[in-house]
Amino acid sequence: MVEKTFPGRKISGRVFADLVKERGGSLSHSYFSNILAGKVTHPSEEILRALGLGFGVDWRFFKEESEVVDDVVAGLQFLAKRRTGEISGIAARGLDDDGLPPELLQFALSLLEDTKARRSGGPGGGGGSADTKPGADAKPVPEPDPEP
């Protein structure tokens, strides 16, 4: 990756750390050197973001393929449901530059599936409306007769 990004140049850990800093990130030169030497095998997302800044790529480039696939699938499912009108009116509170986290996308999709199941009488549903409050379809309890 270093050769492809910086062809014909020998990039030291210090130079790379300075480049990351110029681009708004933080990475120590010794940590970068340890990554290159194979001493670091599972860097944090913060470190992956710094590497992305230094190499000029999206930080997810450095994530495990399965994690990226899960993120992409959740995002595509979300977009598809947004286009069909199954999801609308998303509030953007708490978003960062990466958009909705995959966990939130999965949660939103699971809520949508639960609502569909309730409306159709599927698993976990009673066939009632999604707007029905719990216990709303229960029969009223008769009042006791007044004492004489």
Side-chain angles (χ1 to χ4, degrees):
M1 179 88 184
V2 175
E3 267 304 311
K4 296 277 187 197
T5 307
F6 308 102
R9 294 173 52 195
K10 178 141 173 70
I11 300 295
S12 69
R14 199 169 302 278
V15 169
F16 191 83
D18 289 344
L19 181 62
V20 169
K21 186 176 181 180
E22 287 173 16
R23 294 178 177 176
S26 175
L27 179 69
S28 76
H29 63 88
S30 59
Y31 198 87
F32 180 69
S33 296
N34 285 337
I35 290 171
L36 290 179
K39 294 178 182 177
V40 177
T41 56
H42 292 82
S44 67
E45 283 192 3
E46 182 180 335
I47 297 299
L48 296 180
R49 289 175 193 275
L51 291 172
L53 288 172
F55 285 113
V57 298
D58 187 282
W59 69 275
R60 287 172 282 239
F61 174 84
F62 300 103
K63 287 178 77 174
E64 292 287 329
E65 184 177 329
S66 61
E67 292 178 59
V68 175
V69 169
D70 291 346
D71 293 358
V72 170
V73 169
L76 290 173
Q77 288 174 338
F78 184 82
L79 287 175
K81 292 183 185 299
R82 179 90 165 101
R83 281 197 182 132
T84 61
E86 294 179 72
I87 296 175
S88 63
I90 302 298
R93 292 183 285 278
L95 287 182
D96 60 14
D97 293 338
D98 297 323
L100 292 172
E103 297 81 16
L104 183 55
L105 289 174
Q106 280 302 120
F107 177 71
L109 292 170
S110 70
L111 289 177
L112 182 62
E113 293 304 316
D114 290 349
T115 301
K116 282 172 130 179
R118 278 197 302 276
R119 286 183 177 167
S120 66
S129 164
D131 297 329
T132 305
K133 293 180 183 169
D137 56 343
K139 294 185 170 90
V141 176
E143 293 290 323
D145 290 331
E147 291 188 32

